[in-house]
Amino acid sequence: MIQSILDNDLYKFTMQQAVHRLYPRAQAEYKFTNRGATAFPQGFAQRVKQEIEKMAGLSLSQSQKAYLKDTCSFFTPTYLDYLESYTYNPDEVILGQEKEIFFLTVKGPWHRTILWEVPLMATISEIFFSMTAPAPPFLKNIKKRNQDKAAVMAANQIYFAEFGTRRRFSFATHDKLIQDILGQKNHTLIGTSNVHLAQKFSIPPIGTLAHEWIMFHGAIAGYKKANATAMKAWIKVFKDELGIALADTYTTEVFLSSFDSHLAEHFDGVRQDSGDPIAFIKKLVHHYETLHIDPATKTIIFSDGLDIKGATTIHNECRGKIKDAYGIGTHLTNDLGVAPLNMVIKLSRCQINPEKPWHHTIKLSDDRGKHTGNQTELDSCIKILNIQNR
């Protein structure tokens, strides 16, 4: 199922480089959360374990290393040498099953464990559907569905990237999706988050950072300083590249309080991943104007469970105000007539080095239903940040 070490999202590699450089002794723990309370079939955990064991044989080839060097100027020779020596260690993954309940934890050095999340989720999703829905209703007309979506995006001149690795139906349908869209005349696909497929189809790999980067800094620097500390650390590693900030780890309001003129000038834009996108546009445009920055020079990347209709509505709202682009995931890679798994694997605890204590890591977001982490720590964070109605 996972046949290449690059069958992963770009932001896992960019964050791995940052962790390897700034926090080489940090330890991390990730936990699987079954938000949809899905019942897993008998023998599911054993199937997942078998696939994890196979991943131990994956490593970066010379051609893949050369591709990353040529395509991703932000990767340093030191990091690429490190990645070349990297192999997955199945001992870092603890999983099991009790009747219909599946559980999974990943624990180890942060610079190593950071690569597990996306391929694990893709594996969980593909195995689940291979056991429960091997022939979904819309599989036969998948090409038309893929190209019809691309045609709508092209007709509205909406530029989008494919972000669907984590909850895809299968690798095969994911691969076919990219092929079908590229076969659509005048498509507006600007790239994919999946590095392996970006290389295969000669399209740009897209991605910057994920919530775990801010969650880690919230644990070590405090919630009030988390966003600013995380952004400054990112700049230290990548300087003027990969300049899209992430707004909703501790709510957008808290983010904007740290997004001062220096940071707002430095970053090319912001990714919106929860809450009301229309309200977000208005808040961010107003914030830039308050800082005397022309919003039309900045970009919002929308990535919150989008479908084509939603992207079209948002695009019309952005017109004439701010640049926009879209990361569309499950709606592209698992829209075959089955219910995609509602699951996450999130950073749950961390320590900056083995001599320091472990800290819970939490995420608030702009949707109450997306709050993640230890409830006591969530309550403490909400109190510290003086967040109302949460």
Side-chain angles (χ1 to χ4, degrees), residues 250-251 254 364 381-390:
Y250 302 115
T251 75
V254 170
L364 294 183
C381 177
I382 290 168
K383 183 176 181 181
I384 289 169
L385 297 177
N386 193 30
I387 297 172
Q388 304 298 317
N389 301 319
R390 291 282 177 169

Side-chain angles (χ1 to χ4, degrees), residues 209-215 246 248-249 271 273 346 363:
L209 56 87
H211 295 101
E212 68 179 284
W213 183 251
I214 300 106
M215 292 163 67
L246 183 55
D248 66 332
T249 308
R271 179 158 69 94
D273 197 50
K346 290 290 186 184
K363 171 178 169 285

